[in-house]
Amino acid sequence: MKWFDKSYHTLNYELRNIFGQKVIKLSLDAGFTCPNRDGTIGTKGCIFCSEQGSGEFSAPSNLSIKEQITQQIEFLSPKWKTGKYIAYFQNYTNTYAPIDKLRKIYEESLCCKGIVGLAIATRPDCLPHEVINLLEELNQKTYLWVELGLQTIHSKTSEFLRRGYRLDIFEKAVCRLKSKGINIVVHLILGLPGENYNEMLKSVKYVTELGVQGVKLHLLHVLKNTDLESLYKKEKFSLLSKQDYISLVVDALELLPKDIVVHRVTGDGAKDILIEPRWSLDKLSVLSGIDKEFKRRNSYQGMRYIR
Ligand code: SF4
């Protein structure tokens, strides 16, 4: 089973099928904050979250959305000659603002030439009724997905992470988005301190039963100036080796149904702020390691999926 040359259902495959050509995501920073940072839920944020709110490669937030889109297209155009883009609201919590501001920002992006869809990263506890209605409206106009940072299903780890919401809050948000027909992408982090192999795969299996459309698998990154960095310096907790990570990702993808789109199989740590694991900076080698492991096992996404 293949999705172009890959043994898993990539976002590239999905977008080419929908739009008939390569589509590029443009990372935008609309200048939001997060309730886990502004004091509403907490002030320190999730333990791993960087100063940029988990969006190191976005355009600068002092530019308007239109300017950010123009800048990102110019930056990416030497590499990708494509005319179709997804506006990806990545940094912090992108539904955490008054509804009029949200509408203005999303609509500004949709008016830009070449924008064919929206991706909105947020928290499940930041989706009040009016925001869900706005997302439903946008979903009628454009190709939309909403990203939810779950990271783990285990409460002991989510408390360690200072995620700031319970699993039932996440489940309610998923139900409400699903009831409006909105595509959902769930983030999971592999290699969290204190989680063993079975616990990590339990989070993956849980996601397969949710009926969501996509998943992002991240390798845990220890980034500069985070509380995770301080803890790592103090306790030197163990981090996944490259080979263990590759093997774990393939195990996880084998459990996923074939129709779940895999948006990411590794983290994107900026070189200057990534403390560990430094091996992950060689992203191509991680991706080719995953391809080779599938080949070695003669396997593919969904091979071990049990309905
Ligand atoms: S919810 Fe997202 S933006 Fe907020 S602290 Fe956690 S990782 Fe950072």
Side-chain angles (χ1 to χ4, degrees), residues 33-37 44-50 53-54 91-93 123 151 162-163:
T33 178
C34 170
N36 208 10
R37 284 177 170 274
K44 292 159 132 192
C46 299
I47 196 166
F48 57 82
C49 185
S50 65
S54 297
N91 300 50
Y92 300 102
T93 302
R123 295 171 54 91
Q151 326 309 1
R162 305 194 302 245
R163 190 182 65 191

Coordinates of all heavy atoms in Angstrom, one line a residue, residues 33-37 44-50 53-54 91-93 123 151 162-163, ligand 1:
T33 N -2.3 35.3 22.2 CA -1.6 34.7 23.4 C -2.3 33.4 23.6 O -2.9 32.8 22.7 CB -1.7 35.7 24.6 OG1 -1.0 35.0 25.7 CG2 -3.1 36.1 25.0
C34 N -2.2 32.9 24.9 CA -2.7 31.6 25.2 C -3.2 31.7 26.7 O -2.6 32.3 27.5 CB -1.6 30.6 25.1 SG -2.0 29.0 25.8
P35 N -4.4 31.1 27.0 CA -4.9 31.2 28.4 C -4.0 30.4 29.4 O -4.1 30.7 30.6 CB -6.2 30.4 28.3 CG -6.2 29.6 27.1 CD -5.3 30.3 26.1
N36 N -3.1 29.6 28.8 CA -2.1 28.9 29.7 C -0.9 29.8 29.9 O 0.1 29.3 30.6 CB -1.7 27.6 29.0 CG -1.4 26.5 30.0 OD1 -1.5 26.7 31.2 ND2 -0.8 25.5 29.5
R37 N -0.9 31.0 29.4 CA 0.2 31.9 29.6 C -0.2 33.3 30.2 O 0.5 33.9 30.9 CB 0.9 32.2 28.3 CG 1.8 31.1 27.8 CD 2.4 31.4 26.5 NE 3.4 30.5 26.1 CZ 4.7 30.5 26.4 NH1 5.1 31.5 27.2 NH2 5.6 29.6 26.0
K44 N 2.7 30.0 33.2 CA 4.0 29.5 32.7 C 3.9 28.8 31.3 O 4.9 28.5 30.7 CB 4.6 28.6 33.7 CG 5.0 29.3 35.0 CD 5.1 28.3 36.1 CE 6.4 28.4 36.9 NZ 6.5 27.2 37.8
G45 N 2.7 28.5 30.9 CA 2.5 27.7 29.7 C 2.9 26.3 29.8 O 3.3 25.8 30.9
C46 N 2.7 25.5 28.7 CA 3.1 24.1 28.8 C 4.6 24.1 28.9 O 5.4 24.9 28.5 CB 2.7 23.4 27.5 SG 0.9 23.5 27.2
I47 N 5.1 23.0 29.6 CA 6.5 23.0 30.0 C 7.5 23.0 28.8 O 8.6 23.4 29.0 CB 6.7 21.7 30.9 CG1 8.0 21.8 31.7 CG2 6.6 20.4 30.1 CD1 8.2 20.8 32.8
F48 N 7.0 22.6 27.7 CA 7.9 22.5 26.5 C 7.8 23.7 25.6 O 8.5 23.8 24.6 CB 7.5 21.2 25.7 CG 6.1 21.2 25.3 CD1 5.7 21.8 24.1 CD2 5.2 20.5 26.0 CE1 4.3 21.8 23.8 CE2 3.8 20.4 25.6 CZ 3.4 21.1 24.5
C49 N 6.8 24.5 25.9 CA 6.4 25.6 24.9 C 7.5 26.7 24.8 O 7.9 27.2 25.9 CB 5.1 26.2 25.3 SG 4.4 27.4 24.1
S50 N 7.9 27.0 23.6 CA 8.9 28.1 23.4 C 8.3 29.5 23.6 O 7.1 29.6 23.6 CB 9.5 27.9 22.1 OG 8.6 28.2 21.1
G53 N 5.5 30.4 21.3 CA 4.2 29.7 21.4 C 4.1 28.6 20.4 O 3.1 28.4 19.7
S54 N 5.2 27.8 20.3 CA 5.3 26.6 19.4 C 5.1 27.0 17.9 O 4.4 26.4 17.2 CB 4.2 25.6 19.8 OG 4.5 25.1 21.1
N91 N 1.0 30.0 15.8 CA 1.5 30.4 17.1 C 0.4 30.6 18.2 O -0.6 31.2 17.9 CB 2.3 31.7 17.0 CG 3.5 31.6 16.1 OD1 3.3 31.1 14.9 ND2 4.7 31.9 16.5
Y92 N 0.7 30.1 19.4 CA -0.2 30.3 20.5 C -1.6 29.7 20.2 O -1.6 28.6 19.5 CB -0.3 31.7 20.9 CG 1.1 32.3 21.3 CD1 1.8 33.1 20.5 CD2 1.6 32.0 22.6 CE1 3.1 33.6 20.8 CE2 2.9 32.5 22.9 CZ 3.6 33.3 22.0 OH 4.8 33.7 22.4
T93 N -2.6 30.3 20.7 CA -4.0 29.8 20.6 C -4.8 30.6 19.7 O -5.2 31.7 20.0 CB -4.6 29.7 22.0 OG1 -3.7 29.0 22.9 CG2 -6.0 29.1 22.0
R123 N -6.6 25.3 21.3 CA -6.8 24.5 22.5 C -8.3 24.0 22.5 O -9.1 24.9 22.2 CB -6.5 25.2 23.8 CG -5.1 25.6 24.0 CD -5.0 26.5 25.2 NE -5.5 25.9 26.4 CZ -4.8 25.2 27.3 NH1 -3.6 25.0 27.2 NH2 -5.4 24.7 28.4
Q151 N -1.3 16.0 22.9 CA 0.0 15.5 23.3 C 0.0 14.2 24.0 O 0.8 13.3 23.7 CB 0.8 16.5 24.3 CG 0.5 18.0 24.0 CD 0.7 18.5 22.6 OE1 1.1 17.8 21.7 NE2 0.5 19.8 22.4
R162 N 1.7 20.5 32.3 CA 0.9 21.7 32.6 C 0.0 22.1 31.4 O -0.1 23.3 31.1 CB 1.8 22.9 32.9 CG 2.8 22.7 34.0 CD 3.5 24.0 34.5 NE 4.1 24.7 33.5 CZ 5.4 25.0 33.4 NH1 6.2 24.5 34.4 NH2 5.9 25.7 32.4
R163 N -0.6 21.1 30.8 CA -1.4 21.3 29.6 C -2.6 22.2 30.0 O -3.1 22.9 29.2 CB -1.8 19.9 29.1 CG -2.5 20.0 27.7 CD -2.9 18.6 27.3 NE -3.9 18.0 28.2 CZ -4.3 16.8 28.1 NH1 -3.8 15.9 27.3 NH2 -5.3 16.3 29.0
Ligands
SF4_1 S1 -1.4 25.6 24.8 FE1 0.1 25.9 23.1 S2 0.6 28.0 23.1 FE2 -0.3 27.6 25.1 S3 1.4 27.1 26.4 FE3 0.6 25.2 25.6 S4 1.9 24.8 23.8 FE4 2.1 27.0 24.3

